[in-house]
Amino acid sequence: LRSKRVRRNEFLSLLVRIGDFDSGLSYGASQTGSGGGTGTSTGTGGADISFTRFVVENLAAFDFKYLDEVLHVIYQISAVIAGTGLNIYHQFESESHVGSDSSSASECAKLKRVTEASACIGILFALREFLKTHYNISESRCTAYNPGDTSGARDKPVTWHAQSSSDGSGGVQRRGQIVWGQHNPYAVQRMVSEQDYSNQRTQYLRLMAGSLAVDEESPVIGSGNRSFVDDAEKDDNGVDDGAALDPEELELLTMHDLDEA
């Protein structure tokens, strides 16, 4: 699969869009299911935080060989952030009244689903920074990337750069070892209370505001923003947005298709 660039990029794009609330790739569930338990989505696009983290940690563990592979993943994440991510940001800004005593049950339930989706976008943000750091790729290089470029740059080898772990342990951060930490606690911690959901929305607003504030060095408003949004609004490379992979199928693809190609 690695030697077949179009198919490889379709596969990588599909994996990234699993974390996109609006992509139609729904795997099972919103945390808030019926009765407030661990429900299962019925195809309504519920965000599955645990599965998104599973996919992202597998992507972080890939042994990328070429710069084009890493840049394509970053490009697709940027498209999701500029599309769904920005929409969620504006929704949080405009719906500060939701959750008050006057809010309807349906409004509150919708806000919870969108809040869970924002946690998935935060997970994609973390993967983007993880890849940039460990493959020593600048933001300007990311925003300048064009997936349709046929130059020889696509075959440029890329090298993994080990970094000290950010968890304070003093160890070396390995492939796939994303430290979620205090900035993205709900990637690993279940949201249960209204305060948990409120905390996630606050953290997400800060995350997006910080990205918007850095002007051109931003996955949201950088020089490549228009193409990111265009990609977010249409099907990319013929990938079926309604396709579904369960965790077992994904693990088989991860272990065999890229490593053995």
Side-chain angles (χ1 to χ4, degrees), residues 122 126 166-168 178-189 196 199-204 206-207:
S166 59
D167 61 3
I178 298 178
V179 179
W180 301 110
Q182 61 180 351
H183 299 297
N184 202 355
Y186 298 108
V188 291
Q189 177 184 329
D196 289 337
N199 290 343
Q200 168 58 29
R201 289 191 291 274
T202 299
Q203 289 171 341
Y204 184 78
R206 288 174 180 167
L207 175 67

Side-chain angles (χ1 to χ4, degrees), residues 167-232:
D167 61 3
S169 64
V172 175
Q173 199 169 11
R174 302 184 301 274
R175 285 190 178 91
Q177 188 185 24
I178 298 178
V179 179
W180 301 110
Q182 61 180 351
H183 299 297
N184 202 355
Y186 298 108
V188 291
Q189 177 184 329
R190 180 183 173 86
M191 284 181 275
V192 177
S193 67
E194 292 296 335
Q195 187 61 51
D196 289 337
Y197 281 90
S198 177
N199 290 343
Q200 168 58 29
R201 289 191 291 274
T202 299
Q203 289 171 341
Y204 184 78
L205 285 167
R206 288 174 180 167
L207 175 67
M208 289 296 291
S211 182
L212 289 165
V214 294
D215 198 11
E216 70 275 1
E217 290 201 354
S218 166
V220 180
I221 57 173
S223 60
N225 174 254
R226 182 63 254 170
S227 63
F228 292 151
V229 176
D230 288 343
D231 280 357

